[in-house]
């Protein structure tokens, strides 16, 4: 099965920057270096993780867009972000069309070299403007093979319960900084929800275990989970050195 979705350039840029901020850079697990795209329920949603955090963002899908799901490799996503038409006056009107082809079932026994049709393909077309004579920048590659982890379910497990909150926790500042890509515009605030502790959490390692911090953008179109660090070393209070 194949399909395509056409989105304004600025929406695609926002989705990819927000997703890539959380995507893994460890090539040992290629599927974690990818961005998962899902078109369903009238939304185009992207999801990425590096095991320690999850970013999820969405925009509204144009009417008539077929449902589908595909994995975009980090290198193709980076290329899409970098490519621009040379005519600056047309940049505001750029449109990106993503076209995917689902993978065919591998034969049994599987071949030593996996042909492209068993991986599926993903193509992007960057269209300069809506006119009939618009220049187009294109790129086609294989989809990333593998099953993306069901990290989206972690958001369903997060809670805004009024139970006892953690009084303090350690967060990686790089992860916190990367959450800025969830904002639709620079003036938009981010909402941080400190997780409540369950009885099970309190019984593990003296209560040192912490649930992920939930971050929401002000537009209600992006969210993230960041796993707190374990404070294995003593952390001094300010002014006690």
């Amino acid at each position: 099965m194949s399909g395509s979705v056409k989105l304004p350039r600025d929406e695609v840029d926002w989705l990819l920057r927000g997703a890539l901020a959380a995507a893994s850079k460890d090539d040992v697990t290629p599927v974690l270096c990818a961005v998962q795209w899902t078109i369903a329920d009238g939304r185009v949603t992207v999801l990425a993780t590096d095991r320690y955090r999850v970013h999820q963002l969405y925009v509204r899908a144009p009417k008539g867009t077929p449902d589908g799901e595909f994995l975009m490799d980090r290198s193709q996503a980076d290329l899409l972000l970098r490519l621009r038409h040379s005519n600056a006056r047309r940049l505001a009107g750029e449109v990106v069309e993503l076209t995917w082809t689902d993978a065919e079932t591998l034969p049994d026994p599987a071949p030593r070299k996996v042909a492209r049709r068993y991986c599926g393909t993903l193509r992007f077309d960057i269209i300069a403007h809506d006119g009939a004579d618009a220049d187009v920048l294109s790129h086609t590659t294989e989809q990333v093979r593998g099953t993306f982890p069901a990290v989206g379910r972690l958001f369903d497990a997060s809670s805004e319960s009024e139970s006892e909150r953690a009084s303090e926790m350690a967060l990686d500042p790089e992860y916190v900084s990367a959450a800025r890509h969830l904002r639709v515009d620079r003036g938009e605030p981010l909402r941080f929800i400190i997780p409540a502790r369950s009885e099970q959490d309190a019984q593990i390692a003296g209560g040192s275990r912490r649930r992920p911090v939930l971050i929401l953008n002000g537009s209600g179109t992006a969210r993230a989970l960041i796993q707190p660090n374990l404070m294995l070393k003593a952390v001094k209070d300010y002014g006690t050195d």
Side-chain angles (χ1 to χ4, degrees):
M1 181 179 177
S2 63
S4 66
V5 58
K6 187 180 290 186
L7 297 169
R9 176 68 197 238
D10 59 346
E11 290 188 355
V12 173
D13 286 355
W14 177 71
L15 290 171
L16 284 180
R17 289 194 181 105
L20 288 176
S24 174
K25 297 180 181 179
D26 184 357
D27 294 334
V28 174
T29 311
V31 72
L32 294 185
C33 299
V35 176
Q36 183 190 52
W37 291 73
T38 303
I39 297 96
D41 303 321
R43 295 178 177 179
V44 179
T45 304
V46 294
L47 190 67
T49 184
D50 62 0
R51 295 190 181 93
Y52 305 104
R53 54 185 164 165
V54 183
H55 283 193
Q56 185 179 55
L57 309 88
Y58 79 87
V59 296
R60 292 294 178 184
K63 291 183 178 180
T65 301
D67 288 354
E69 186 174 287
F70 52 87
L71 291 177
M72 174 181 280
D73 182 78
R74 169 185 280 278
S75 61
Q76 189 183 31
D78 286 336
L79 180 61
L80 175 50
L81 284 173
R82 292 196 311 269
L83 282 179
R84 293 288 191 276
H85 287 277
S86 59
N87 191 335
R89 291 177 300 176
R90 295 179 176 180
L91 291 182
E94 277 190 342
V95 176
V96 176
E97 183 171 15
L98 298 171
T99 303
W100 69 93
T101 302
D102 292 340
E104 296 180 16
T105 303
L106 272 171
D108 188 14
R112 290 185 177 181
K113 185 176 181 180
V114 179
R116 176 175 284 190
R117 67 178 182 274
Y118 299 125
C119 299
T121 60
L122 181 57
R123 171 190 175 99
F124 70 69
D125 294 291
I126 305 174
I127 307 166
H129 57 86
D130 290 333
D133 61 340
D135 293 331
V136 180
L137 300 172
S138 303
H139 181 264
T140 304
T141 189
E142 296 176 353
Q143 288 191 44
V144 177
R145 296 183 65 226
T147 302
F148 197 80
V151 291
R153 298 176 184 174
L154 296 175
F155 288 104
D156 297 330
S158 63
S159 171
E160 295 189 39
S161 168
E162 294 302 322
S163 302
E164 179 187 358
R165 303 285 180 180
S167 60
E168 63 178 72
M169 61 178 55
L171 294 175
D172 189 322
E174 298 294 336
Y175 294 173
V176 176
S177 176
R180 70 188 186 278
H181 295 292
L182 303 178
R183 300 177 301 174
V184 174
D185 58 67
R186 291 188 177 183
E188 183 178 33
L190 293 177
R191 180 184 176 197
F192 289 72
I193 299 176
I194 307 301
R197 291 198 306 169
S198 68
E199 293 183 3
Q200 180 183 12
D201 294 336
Q203 294 170 0
I204 298 175
S208 62
R209 176 180 172 180
R210 294 287 183 262
R211 294 184 176 184
V213 173
L214 175 63
I215 304 174
L216 304 167
N217 75 351
S219 302
T221 55
R223 56 187 178 176
L225 290 171
I226 298 179
Q227 183 64 43
N229 297 68
L230 291 177
M231 291 187 285
L232 301 179
K233 296 182 180 180
V235 179
K236 295 182 179 180
D237 289 333
Y238 178 78
T240 59
D241 60 332

